[in-house]
Structure formats: structure tokens, C-alpha cells
Amino acid sequence: MVCNGTVTAPYSTHSPLSDAVGGSTAKVLADHLDLRTVGDLLYHFPRRYAERGELTRLAELPLDEHVTVVAEIADARVHTFNHGRGRRLEVTVTDGSGKLQLVFFGSAAHHHRRELLPGRRGMFAGKVSVFNRKMQLSHPAYQLLGEGEEDEGRRAAQAFADRLLPLYPACKQIESWKIAKAVDTVLDVLDAADWKGVGDPLPEELRRRQDLLPLPEALLGVHRPRTHQQLDAARERLKWDEAFVLQVALARRRRSTTQQRATPREPRQDGLLHDFDDRLPFTLTSGQRRVSEEIFAELATDHPMHRLLQGEVGSGKTLVALRAMLAVVDAGGQAALLAPTEVLAQQHHRSITSMMGDLAEGGLIGGADNGTKVALLTGSMGAPARRRALLELVSGEAGLVIGTHALIEDAVRFQDLGLVVVDEQHRFGVEQRDALRSKAERPPHLLVMTATPIPRTVAMTVFGDLETSVLDELPAGRSPIASHVVPAADKPHFLERAWARVREEVNAGHQAYVVCPRIGDEPAGGQARAAARSDGEPADSADDGAPAGSGDDRRPPLAVLDVAAHLAEGPLAGLRVAVLHGRMAPDDKDDVMRRFASGDVDVLVATTVIEVGVNVPNATAMVIMDADRFGVSQLHQLRGRVGRGSAPGLCLLVSEAHEASAARARLDAVARTLDGFELSRIDLEQRREGDVLGQAQSGGRSSLRVLTVVEDEELIAEARTAATELIARDPELDGEPDLRIALDALLDAERESYLDKG
């Protein structure tokens, strides 16, 4: 389009893709890659780049993932089968480090044989699988490079010769080179129109100070790089965009928090906290004392504390949280601990009342003078117990309450709610937290706990609106845990030995867990994962940390009910075996946990319902079945259930994953180290960050496309400082309209709620 002699873009970054690339291509991009606008496509960056003469390392291909490789054809042969009626073309491609087999069946075999000649080089796209222990692509899409008379072939060869060749995240419905063609169409029009309609979110002064490229040059450089230097400069600029926009969102959130007013809560001398500390049979670690002082200092201020407390499994987070709750009770307020499951809520209630002794019996005969009541509120409680708990809360008799989602119901009222503690924060939605916090006249203080270690940069990025405290040392007396991978498919006798080890632990007077990804008697796929759980308990399936697509063509995950029956009749016959899962009635779950804790059960076969909070010091062994279907952090959490007493712990990770797969690499990493922070880094490096402002996991769209929170620590810190300075002088961003637009795009309704998690 030409206006007054100037070319203007017929579309902007907000225009639908169908305006730019046509309806059929736009539909495929929207349905399978969630790319719906011109801006979505512009920010769908290449996964990597191929160079002229470079052959992709085939030895590093991930199983069960769609890939695009650049390789040279070494051999091509047609085989017959089924008495000559079937045809199979096997093509071997190589890069010097490894080989990959391409397989075509049926009548098309001879057609592909005429094109796929030894010595030719091409791009091949498909899903990596293993057959007869060989890596292969079945019926891959391909485009040959460097030869051919067709215009498309010449253009591809020229592009390959002239510049780095972008390889885009793709899927089986649309290959990388088709995405590249669509991107080129968009870039050509925008470049001709001098990039009208593409706003720059980075303030000009900041861009100059950091010596960053203008946005149009960065977008051209990342999609059409001529040199590695040009690509590096483009990526540096785009990393700054992502880091800065996100940090501005977090800075606005922090500023909003500081504008609120809370009631200061200072513990009184010789009060409940003092008496509790005097009765502790052990000495607090230096980390527990340091973090407690950080929390007490913030509780004493007149704006609400927003603090993230993270630490290793077993580092004593619950004790630190309890001391904060007691300090609030000393100051005349009440504290609520929100737990994700009834099993965990009941476990917290038992352990807290046990630690407090008569201090948890305030107002009762025999109760301590400084004591208070500790109420429990869950969805399965009977009407009389529920009425009693509600009355104790509204009257102020109960200074502490531990509960599940039942705490947020309308009928629940507090006399003076001063502190909300959220355990395992990732299990709750923002609405649930806000519903509990809204039960206070003034915003209560907030302490969020997680046993999933988070690297500093992730905490600064994902939880940038929260101050962070870290417990990085274990209390005295915790025992080491030995972890081993059991390759059940390759070495079935290893699995037999695993059950023998469990029996040895039981014979020595200890107990064991066996963990399975699902319950049983339910669909093994999405329906099982989506099944409702009473009282807000999460679905008992492995988390989404397993590789994308890994469950498509494998057997169903092993189930608790099936495995428990097999063990009781076979390898563990004669031992006392019980099951625990999310579909059991709450009273039944509590009964099983009580019997296991008291030693009346030898082996507990369970889902991930035992992942957090369950504390049975006599349990020394854990066998995790189908361990490759769990994420690294979840495996680390589960492993933390053993080795909690004086005897050493043992964790066996049973898997049928191929030894060359990414899933097996994750398991090997878990077996190598007990350092949760190191594992979280490995997890991020393998899965990337997912969507830091939403629930999407690896394989889906992410609000982080080039920024890597593990590697870009210095850049993120600088962006945080710049964002804080900008919000201090221009909180409404009146002088930065393009930045406001970028924030609106980043903070859609779902992501804004996620950001609001604090």
C-alpha cells in the first residue's frame, strides 16, 4: 500500500495471520502452534540454525520429539516383505557423529528412492523413535538442498549458501521450512513499509545506554542472520525486551503492595513464641534463625509482608512458618496455614499440635497459660466438628488454623486474620489465595512456602514481586539418600533386585514407599489427569515434566491398584502392603497414614499424594515406578520422604526409557545429586522455563522465547533495576505507550492472575 509516496504496512503485529500468509496456513499455525497474529509469528524464533557445510549432530537427537535435521544421505535401499507384497524404503543419513534411519512404506517407497540419492544433503523433519535399537524418522517430510531445477529448490539452496539457515519449532502438520517461508512473507512487507505498526517497548534512553539494536534490526537479525555476530546482537536485544517488560510488570506489582497498609505484628516478650522456643528439644539451624529474623522484621512493618520461603526437602520450613504464626498470635492476631490436600493438612495439624504440646490447648483444663487453640478445617469434617472449628475462629479462641480449600468458603470468618501461610504454593490458584486473604479487614501478611528449590534468577523472574528467603542447610540428624536408576526394560533382573532390597529394609525393621503415576480403574490418558478430586486434591498423575508427546505411543502408566496387587501376591508376598491415593475417602486416607506412621504397614503403594509434608522417619526405601513420567523437581520431592530418620535412605527410579532419551538423562541427573538447586538448574536447562507467567509446560508457548533465566542472571538483574527506576518516576507509564501495549499483551487475563500469585 502506498500513501503520499510512502509504503505503509497493510497489517500490524496485532493483525490476524490470515491477512499475511493465507487462511489455510494461518489455520495450521493457530491450531497446532498457537500462532494467531503477525506478532505471534514474528516472535516464533528459530530453535537453532544450520550452516553451510554443517551437519547436525545426530547423536544428540531427543526421543519422542519432532525435530528437523540437516544431514547427508549415505545409503538408500528398498526391501520387500510379506512375500513380496510390501515395500519398505530405508534411507540412512549421517553427519559423522551418528546415523539416523528414514523409513517409508508402501507405494511411495519407489518415488522417494528416486529422490533420496546417496551424496545428496537435505532437511528432514519428523518424530524421533527407536526401532530395533536404531533411531529413526518414519515417513519424514524433507527438502533437498543444493540441487534441483525447481524454483523452490534453487531458493532453498541459495538461502543455505548465503546465510545461517533457521530451523523453527515445528510439528508434523507444518515443517520448519514452511514456517520460514511464512516468516519471510511477513518480514518482506514490514521491511518495505519501514516497520510501521511495530512498536518498540524499550525506552529509547535505555536502549542507547545498553547499546542495543533497534527492534526492526533485531527481528531481521534473528530470522535472517548473515553472521553469528549479527545473531548474537539480535538475541541480546530481544532478551532485553523480554526481561524488561516482565520486570516492569513485577515492579508495578511490588509498588502496589507497598501502597497497602497492614497491621504490624510484633511478638511480645515471654509470650507464646518464647515458651515454644524454650521447649524445643533441638537447636535451630543458623539458617532457620536468620530467616525467622527476616520474617519477624517484616511482620512488624505497616505494609503487608509478601515473602517466598524456599528450601530443600526437610530443611525445616514448617518450623520457621510455625514460629511466624506464633509471633502473630502473640501480637493479638490469628494465622492460617493453607495446605493443598487433606492428607497434608492433617499431617500438619498432628505435627504442630505435637510440637506445641499444652501450648496448643489454650483455654482447656491443663492447657498452658500462654497457649492457644489449633483448629483443623477440611471439607470432609462432620458437621459438629466443623461448627466447633468455625466458632473458635470467629471468636478468636483458635489463634492457629490449618486447613484445605475449606478455609476459603464463605462461612469461614476470623476475628483478626494477621498472617496467611500457603504451603506448596503451586497447588493453588490466585482466586483461592485471594479469597482467604480477603477474610481480613486489612491485608494480612503472606508467607508462601515451596520445597521445590528455585535458582536465584528464577525466583527473581517468576516470583519477582516477593522477597525471597532460602533455607539451604539440613537440620542435624538427617541421613543421606542413595539413588539409583533401575532400567527395567534392558535389565529386568535389576527390578527383581529392587524388590529384594525393599524386603531387606522391611526385615531390618524399616518401611518403604512404592510410587506410581496413576491410581487404576480409570482412563490412562487425559481423562485420568482431569478427574476431579475431593477437597481440591490434585489429580494423582505424574506432573507435566515428562517429555512432550512421551505418552502418545507408550503403554499406559503403571497404576497403584495393579502394582499393589502384583506385589502382595508376588515379590513382596507376606509383607503388609497398603494403598493410598486421591480417590479414597478422607477418613480412609487418614487411617492408612496413621497405620503407616505407627509401623502397622510395611509397604505403602501410593500416588504422588505423599509428595509433600508426609513425615515417617522409619521409612527408608522408595521405589518410583515409571519414574521417567515425573519431572525432576517432583522426583526430588518424592525422594525427600525417605532418609528422614537415623537410618540412610534408598530411592530406586524404575524406568523403561531408552538410555539415549532425554527422560533417561533426567533420571541419571536425579540419581547423581541430592542438591535440589542443582537439579532445578538441570530441569530448566532440559525443559527451558515453560511459561513463567502461566501454567504451560515445556512444548507449549512460552512468554520467554530467547531469555534463559539460568544463564542470563546479570541481564535480568540489570533489567530489574531499570524497571524499578522507571516505575518510581512514571508508575502509570504515561511516557511509554509502546511499553504499555507490550504489558497488555504479556498480561492477558490468565497470566495476570498467575503474576498475582503473591
Side-chain angles (χ1 to χ4, degrees):
M1 182 183 298
V2 178
C3 294
N4 299 325
T6 302
V7 181
T8 60
Y11 45 74
S12 71
T13 52
H14 305 293
S15 300
L17 264 179
S18 55
D19 290 356
V21 300
S24 58
T25 300
K27 187 176 189 310
V28 174
L29 291 171
D31 291 348
H32 299 287
L33 293 174
D34 197 24
L35 305 177
R36 304 180 185 280
T37 68
V38 168
D40 288 342
L41 183 60
L42 279 177
Y43 284 86
H44 185 71
F45 299 136
R47 187 190 301 274
R48 57 190 177 84
Y49 301 83
E51 300 178 74
R52 185 179 183 186
E54 176 200 34
L55 294 177
T56 306
R57 289 183 58 82
L58 299 180
E60 299 174 357
L61 289 179
L63 278 177
D64 298 320
E65 290 190 18
H66 287 279
V67 300
T68 300
V69 301
V70 178
E72 183 174 300
I73 300 169
D75 184 58
R77 301 183 185 186
V78 175
H79 302 271
T80 60
F81 58 93
N82 196 17
H83 303 291
R85 291 192 295 272
R87 299 283 188 275
R88 179 178 73 253
L89 172 62
E90 294 182 357
V91 179
T92 302
V93 298
T94 183
D95 67 349
S97 73
K99 294 181 179 180
L100 175 68
Q101 197 168 70
L102 317 178
V103 183
F104 302 86
F105 293 94
S107 58
H110 285 295
H111 165 72
H112 294 301
R113 176 68 180 86
R114 289 193 294 270
E115 292 190 334
L116 300 174
L117 302 175
R120 299 287 301 274
R121 180 162 52 226
M123 294 185 291
F124 306 93
K127 185 177 181 181
V128 182
S129 61
V130 172
F131 181 71
N132 283 340
R133 305 197 68 79
K134 292 182 179 179
M135 307 279 271
Q136 71 172 25
L137 302 182
S138 181
H139 286 275
Y142 63 87
Q143 183 178 18
L144 298 176
L145 299 169
E147 292 185 22
E149 297 300 322
E150 297 86 355
D151 289 343
E152 195 69 28
R154 284 200 301 271
R155 281 199 297 271
Q158 189 63 42
F160 189 66
D162 286 350
R163 60 182 169 91
L164 296 171
L165 184 67
L167 299 177
Y168 289 89
C171 59
K172 65 180 179 180
Q173 290 81 9
I174 184 166
E175 295 84 16
S176 171
W177 51 87
K178 292 182 180 178
I179 297 173
K181 184 177 179 181
V183 171
D184 279 338
T185 299
V186 169
L187 290 174
D188 287 343
V189 175
L190 289 173
D191 199 28
D194 200 25
W195 294 85
K196 300 294 192 297
V198 179
D200 192 334
L202 217 57
E204 179 66 16
E205 184 271 333
L206 177 60
R207 185 182 71 78
R208 293 183 183 279
R209 189 170 75 227
Q210 295 295 330
D211 193 24
L212 300 170
L213 294 177
L215 183 57
E217 288 185 35
L219 290 171
L220 283 170
V222 79
H223 289 293
R224 295 175 175 173
R226 298 266 178 194
T227 65
H228 284 288
Q229 291 79 5
Q230 184 184 18
L231 175 60
D232 291 343
R235 291 175 62 85
E236 181 75 4
R237 161 63 210 253
L238 295 168
K239 285 183 177 185
W240 258 96
D241 283 10
E242 289 185 358
F244 184 70
V245 173
L246 179 56
Q247 291 300 329
V248 166
L250 294 167
R252 294 179 80 182
R253 173 68 181 173
R254 289 195 301 274
R255 184 179 184 278
S256 173
T257 299
T258 61
Q259 306 300 308
Q260 297 176 330
R261 286 290 170 262
T263 302
R265 311 284 181 174
E266 293 189 64
R268 49 192 178 86
Q269 293 183 348
D270 300 324
L272 177 57
L273 176 61
H274 175 272
D275 289 354
F276 175 77
D277 285 347
D278 272 354
R279 300 180 184 202
L280 282 177
F282 51 82
T283 303
L284 295 175
T285 67
S286 60
Q288 288 173 324
R289 290 195 298 272
R290 170 179 48 79
V291 171
S292 290
E293 291 308 315
E294 291 173 351
I295 292 172
F296 293 153
E298 282 195 282
L299 290 175
T301 65
D302 62 357
H303 62 267
M305 174 180 73
H306 281 119
R307 184 165 286 275
L308 170 69
L309 173 57
Q310 60 161 319
E312 287 285 8
V313 175
S315 59
K317 294 180 298 299
T318 303
L319 178 59
V320 170
L322 175 57
R323 296 185 74 234
M325 296 168 75
L326 297 179
V328 169
V329 174
D330 268 346
Q334 294 168 289
L337 171 59
L338 181 62
T341 67
E342 289 207 353
V343 168
L344 186 51
Q346 291 162 343
Q347 175 90 17
H348 275 318
H349 186 259
R350 281 195 295 271
S351 63
I352 286 175
T353 53
S354 175
M355 281 192 290
M356 291 179 62
D358 61 357
L359 293 174
E361 299 172 352
L364 301 178
I365 296 177
D369 293 339
N370 272 338
T372 186
K373 285 185 178 179
V374 182
L376 174 67
L377 189 62
T378 66
S380 66
M381 291 174 64
R386 179 180 175 80
R387 281 196 298 270
R388 183 167 61 252
L390 292 176
L391 182 60
E392 289 172 349
L393 291 180
V394 73
S395 67
E397 277 186 76
L400 306 182
V401 60
I402 295 100
T404 59
H405 300 71
L407 281 174
I408 67 178
E409 294 175 0
D410 290 342
V412 179
R413 294 286 184 272
F414 292 85
Q415 184 183 74
D416 183 13
L417 179 60
L419 172 65
V420 172
V421 179
V422 180
D423 194 14
E424 291 307 313
Q425 53 77 30
H426 61 278
R427 299 287 189 94
F428 295 97
V430 62
E431 298 85 359
Q432 295 160 328
R433 285 183 223 104
D434 282 351
L436 180 54
R437 293 164 64 192
S438 68
K439 294 181 180 296
E441 290 186 14
R442 280 187 162 190
H445 299 282
L446 175 71
L447 182 63
V448 171
M449 296 196 298
T450 178
T452 303
I454 304 169
R456 174 177 174 267
T457 47
V458 180
M460 190 165 53
T461 304
V462 184
F463 300 99
D465 58 329
L466 299 173
E467 299 299 326
T468 303
S469 293
V470 177
L471 288 173
D472 52 8
E473 58 183 310
L474 298 181
R478 288 301 302 268
S479 300
I481 304 172
S483 302
H484 304 281
V485 177
V486 179
D490 298 337
K491 300 178 180 178
H493 61 286
F494 277 31
L495 183 57
E496 295 173 9
R497 175 59 184 151
W499 300 130
R501 283 290 291 114
V502 169
R503 188 177 285 276
E504 289 168 7
E505 289 296 314
V506 173
N507 289 341
H510 301 304
Q511 296 161 275
Y513 298 97
V514 177
V515 181
C516 303
R518 67 185 181 100
I519 299 169
D521 292 341
E522 87 275 49
Q527 293 179 0
R529 289 190 292 272
R533 297 291 183 264
S534 63
D535 200 28
E537 189 159 302
D540 288 324
S541 59
D543 74 354
D544 289 333
S550 59
D552 293 346
D553 48 12
R554 298 188 294 174
R555 62 161 171 75
L558 293 174
V560 164
L561 300 181
D562 300 332
V563 170
H566 167 70
L567 293 177
E569 297 169 3
L572 303 184
L575 302 186
R576 297 168 296 178
V577 178
V579 300
L580 181 70
H581 57 75
R583 283 212 310 266
M584 294 169 61
D587 287 346
D588 292 339
K589 285 188 286 189
D590 193 43
D591 178 64
V592 169
M593 279 308 306
R594 285 180 183 275
R595 289 193 292 119
F596 188 62
S598 65
D600 294 334
V601 170
D602 297 320
V603 180
L604 184 63
V605 185
T607 58
T608 56
V609 70
I610 58 102
E611 179 183 352
V612 291
V614 175
N615 184 27
V616 181
N618 193 49
T620 57
M622 174 176 287
V623 181
I624 304 179
M625 308 302 294
D626 282 343
D628 52 288
R629 298 179 188 252
F630 299 86
V632 168
S633 295
Q634 194 168 33
L635 291 171
H636 185 57
Q637 284 263 36
L638 288 166
R639 175 172 58 184
R641 299 306 105 203
V642 298
R644 303 179 73 86
S646 57
L650 173 68
C651 180
L652 302 176
L653 307 169
V654 180
S655 172
E656 296 180 0
H658 189 274
E659 62 182 355
S661 67
R664 178 62 178 272
R666 295 203 322 271
L667 297 185
D668 290 339
V670 173
R672 275 197 310 271
T673 180
L674 293 173
D675 186 336
F677 289 92
E678 174 63 22
L679 286 174
S680 68
R681 280 184 166 271
I682 293 171
D683 198 21
L684 281 170
E685 288 166 358
Q686 291 191 351
R687 294 169 50 190
R688 292 213 60 196
E689 290 78 10
D691 190 338
V692 298
L693 292 182
Q695 299 298 340
Q697 295 291 326
S698 175
R701 290 207 34 223
S702 169
S703 57
L704 297 187
R705 294 172 173 85
V706 289
L707 189 70
T708 305
V709 295
V710 173
E711 299 174 359
D712 297 320
E713 179 172 350
E714 184 177 340
L715 188 153
I716 292 170
E718 290 180 9
R720 178 183 172 101
T721 299
T724 302
E725 292 172 353
L726 175 62
I727 293 304
R729 66 175 181 267
D730 187 5
E732 301 304 320
L733 300 176
D734 294 327
E736 302 294 341
D738 287 337
L739 177 56
R740 276 210 314 272
I741 293 172
L743 275 177
D744 291 341
L746 178 72
L747 299 179
D748 57 24
E750 176 189 355
R751 288 167 171 175
E752 189 158 23
S753 291
Y754 191 81
L755 180 65
D756 215 24
K757 71 190 334 176

